Amino acid sequence: MYDLLIIGGGAAGFFTAINVAERHPHFKIAILEKSKEVLQKVRISGGGRCNLTNATFTPDELVKYYPRGSKELLSPFHRFMCGDTMEWFEAHGVALKTEPDGRVFPVSNTSESIINCFLIEIKKHSIELFTQQNVQAISQTENIWEVETPTHTYKARKIAITTGSNPKIWKLLAGLGHTIVPPVPSLFTFNTTERWVKELSGIAVTVRLELLSKEGKHLKISETAPLLFTHTGFSGPAVLRASAWGARILEGLNYECIMVVNFTANAGEPLSYNEVMAQLQDVKQQQGRKVVQNTSLFQLPKRLWIGLLEVAGIAPQQVWAEINKAQLQQLGKAVSAQSFTIEGKAAFKEEFVTAGGVKLSEVNFKTYESKLLKNLYLAGEVLDIDAVTGGFNFQNAWTGGYHISLMMED
């Protein structure tokens, strides 16, 4: 018989277990994990360095990074957010550093620092860990929870479910009465068959992008951030954020849409078509004898500039004086509003994130306890909460685990 049984040996599960143990040292606690290894998502996060949070220090700003869950997380973030996470890990022996883009990593540059911290802490607090325990049934009888695996039946006064995007656990929760918002992918890259895009693979440039349906309808999804050309299409923060905010819309469109890109954001505030044309006309008048490809405009990488010239039907070796009005207009459009046909998606590295999970209105966000089932707690991506890239999904896990420990009664 356990005081607390945690299903899911990931970030939220370990953080919950350790914080509960620190507040309730007499509790008997165990973690169940279906795989041989624990903390696999922590291990691969941030290219193996573990981007564990972000240097965003006001709740009102922090919630803006959550396409789903922003309203519900506002109050919890007032009690535990990024600065608190950083203090917690530093206090538990993990030195941290903040990179210029706000992402926070261990000074060691390896996720093993986080994993070792957690493993040391569960040993210190006598938290039991059982791997290869694939949960098959969850039930409650006379205020006692029973969790069945192929080899054992575990009993506990309280259970916390921190299994992330696990369809089997969602099905079990639905059987207990919870509503599951159907999951769809979030944080993915865009594919295209446009050949000239693939020739620009490796180029990164800050852009303003907007997504339209194939019929030209505005989807109200736009981002200003770095865009990365890849051998299959597009990635980078601009695309990943757009994929997160548009997760359900894009799923409904079978991931086929039009991406309109303004390439002038690399030099500051994006310019309009008319502003771009004014600059192009001025260059033509002032530098008529200069070869077009040798002109540096809008702080664009040279390969990208040459690619946009070719899209506009301009030979890179031409001089400005040879460019006619129609070509100049085409170049203005290519620079300020170039359209790309998006034909599908791909997972972003190994960091698979979904939009979907337990319906948020069925959870008390003061305690992270189910409103439907007493002594059942939920944290992390098992809930219908997801974030853009940058350490925000982990912050959701830490905040949930902390609140469970904070509000849990003996």
Side-chain angles (χ1 to χ4, degrees):
M1 171 66 79
Y2 292 92
D3 294 293
L4 175 63
L5 188 65
I6 294 168
I7 303 171
F14 271 77
F15 204 72
T16 300
I18 294 163
N19 279 276
V20 170
E22 288 178 343
R23 279 195 166 76
H24 303 275
H26 61 284
F27 267 28
K28 188 178 181 184
I29 302 170
I31 301 171
L32 304 184
E33 168 56 38
K34 69 173 182 178
S35 305
K36 286 184 179 180
E37 302 290 334
V38 294
L39 299 163
Q40 285 304 295
K41 202 163 188 179
V42 170
R43 192 180 302 279
I44 64 174
S45 162
R49 295 195 298 145
C50 190
N51 176 196
L52 61 94
T53 190
N54 193 283
T56 303
F57 299 120
T58 62
D60 289 345
E61 281 301 307
L62 183 56
V63 295
K64 293 178 182 177
Y65 294 95
Y66 295 82
R68 284 146 292 274
S70 58
K71 178 184 172 185
E72 290 78 9
L73 287 172
L74 184 59
S75 178
F77 281 158
H78 274 90
R79 291 189 290 271
F80 192 90
M81 55 175 293
C82 306
D84 304 299
T85 295
M86 295 170 73
E87 284 182 20
W88 192 96
F89 279 101
E90 294 271 7
H92 289 77
V94 182
L96 303 178
K97 62 176 179 177
T98 303
E99 300 200 338
D101 61 2
R103 293 182 301 160
V104 178
F105 294 90
V107 168
S108 64
N109 271 332
T110 173
S111 58
E112 293 301 321
S113 295
I114 306 298
I115 293 169
N116 290 338
C117 168
F118 284 162
L119 293 177
I120 289 167
E121 288 298 317
I122 67 164
K123 186 175 181 180
K124 173 183 172 183
H125 293 288
S126 301
I127 296 166
E128 296 180 58
L129 173 62
F130 300 102
T131 57
Q132 294 181 280
Q133 295 298 304
N134 197 354
V135 172
Q136 295 182 321
I138 302 172
S139 59
Q140 188 182 37
T141 307
E142 295 180 355
N143 296 322
I144 299 298
W145 285 98
E146 289 192 359
V147 177
E148 295 179 28
T149 72
T151 55
H152 291 85
T153 296
Y154 299 88
K155 294 185 178 184
R157 294 193 302 115
K158 305 171 188 288
I159 61 171
I161 298 182
T162 59
T163 47
S165 305
N166 186 320
K168 187 173 181 180
I169 297 298
W170 279 330
K171 187 176 180 180
L172 293 177
L173 285 168
L176 292 168
H178 269 291
T179 305
I180 307 301
V181 179
V184 298
S186 182
L187 286 189
F188 47 83
T189 61
F190 293 168
N191 293 341
T192 185
T193 55
E194 296 185 30
R195 209 174 86 190
W196 76 282
V197 169
K198 299 174 184 182
E199 292 170 357
L200 299 176
S201 179
I203 289 177
V205 60
T206 299
V207 304
R208 175 73 173 173
L209 67 77
E210 183 175 9
L211 301 184
L212 284 65
S213 70
K214 288 193 296 183
E215 296 73 33
K217 179 184 176 184
H218 290 264
L219 301 178
K220 298 182 180 178
I221 302 167
S222 60
E223 289 291 337
T224 302
L227 174 79
L228 174 68
F229 287 84
T230 72
H231 67 283
T232 58
F234 305 95
S235 185
V239 166
L240 295 172
R241 291 176 192 172
S243 76
W245 288 103
R248 296 206 174 276
I249 294 171
L250 293 171
E251 192 264 346
L253 297 174
N254 198 30
Y255 305 101
E256 295 180 352
C257 63
I258 303 297
M259 183 174 74
V260 180
V261 179
N262 184 326
F263 288 104
T264 64
N266 216 39
E269 191 68 25
L271 303 176
S272 67
Y273 169 77
N274 288 338
E275 289 170 327
V276 169
M277 286 303 297
Q279 285 199 33
L280 293 177
Q281 288 162 349
D282 183 60
V283 170
K284 182 180 177 181
Q285 289 176 357
Q286 301 296 326
Q287 304 181 38
R289 295 183 179 181
K290 193 170 182 179
V291 176
V292 181
Q293 71 174 4
N294 294 334
T295 307
S296 179
L297 288 177
F298 314 112
Q299 295 184 19
L300 295 178
K302 188 168 184 179
R303 271 203 299 149
L304 175 57
W305 173 241
I306 291 172
L308 294 172
L309 290 173
E310 292 173 346
V311 166
I314 299 169
Q317 297 79 20
Q318 281 184 264
V319 296
W320 281 98
E322 295 173 348
I323 298 174
N324 61 40
K325 182 179 179 181
Q327 288 175 315
L328 205 64
Q329 290 172 337
Q330 281 298 109
L331 181 57
K333 184 180 178 184
V335 169
S336 64
Q338 179 59 36
S339 293
F340 299 94
T341 302
I342 304 304
E343 303 165 83
K345 63 168 182 62
F348 173 56
K349 299 181 181 177
E350 304 94 342
E351 298 180 35
F352 186 68
V353 175
T354 60
V358 175
K359 191 175 182 181
L360 302 185
S361 61
E362 298 175 355
V363 178
N364 178 350
F365 279 90
K366 287 183 179 179
T367 61
Y368 280 73
E369 185 176 12
S370 164
K371 291 180 180 178
L372 310 183
L373 299 157
K374 189 168 176 56
N375 292 324
L376 168 65
Y377 299 83
L378 302 128
E381 290 178 43
V382 71
L383 299 166
D384 184 24
I385 295 176
D386 63 285
V388 300
T389 185
F392 301 105
N393 280 298
F394 276 140
Q395 184 57 53
N396 168 45
W398 314 139
T399 296
Y402 177 83
H403 274 77
I404 291 172
S405 75
L406 187 67
M407 299 303 212
M408 184 173 284
E409 298 174 350
D410 285 349

